[in-house]
Amino acid sequence: YRVVGGIFDFFVFAGDTPMSVVQQYTGLVGRSFLPPYWSLGYHLCRWGYWTVAKTKEVVEKLREAGIPHDAQWNDIGMGAICDV
């Protein structure tokens, strides 16, 4: 490596198993958080649902078809033109 200046730290993680190496690494850099349960589900987002009624219609059709649907997002700009 070529370093212009400053301190360059190297870390070596040795372990008998990959799990022990990962535990050492995450002990140093921190462990990730578990996201909210609902955020792991199926989300639908689309531009072009011009009314709230259309959005509700799409959600009902998904339910009728038995398609898992945890969150509905309407793309940017929808709020400016929809009939609330």
Side-chain angles (χ1 to χ4, degrees):
Y1 294 99
R2 184 175 181 191
V3 180
V4 176
I7 299 172
F8 205 56
D9 294 324
F10 286 95
F11 295 90
V12 177
F13 303 102
D16 297 336
T17 65
M19 180 60 77
S20 67
V21 173
V22 169
Q23 287 175 343
Q24 291 175 56
Y25 173 73
T26 59
L28 177 69
V29 300
R31 290 171 172 79
S32 62
F33 71 97
L34 183 62
Y37 184 72
W38 66 267
S39 70
L40 301 174
Y42 178 71
H43 292 230
L44 178 64
C45 178
R46 182 167 183 254
W47 180 83
Y49 297 148
W50 301 113
T51 65
V52 172
K54 179 62 178 174
T55 301
K56 289 180 180 180
E57 177 188 335
V58 170
V59 170
E60 287 302 316
K61 286 184 178 181
L62 288 167
R63 287 182 183 159
E64 289 171 7
I67 298 173
H69 182 231
D70 298 302
Q72 173 69 42
W73 303 85
N74 288 329
D75 205 348
I76 192 165
M78 190 267 186
I81 57 175
C82 75
D83 62 336
V84 177

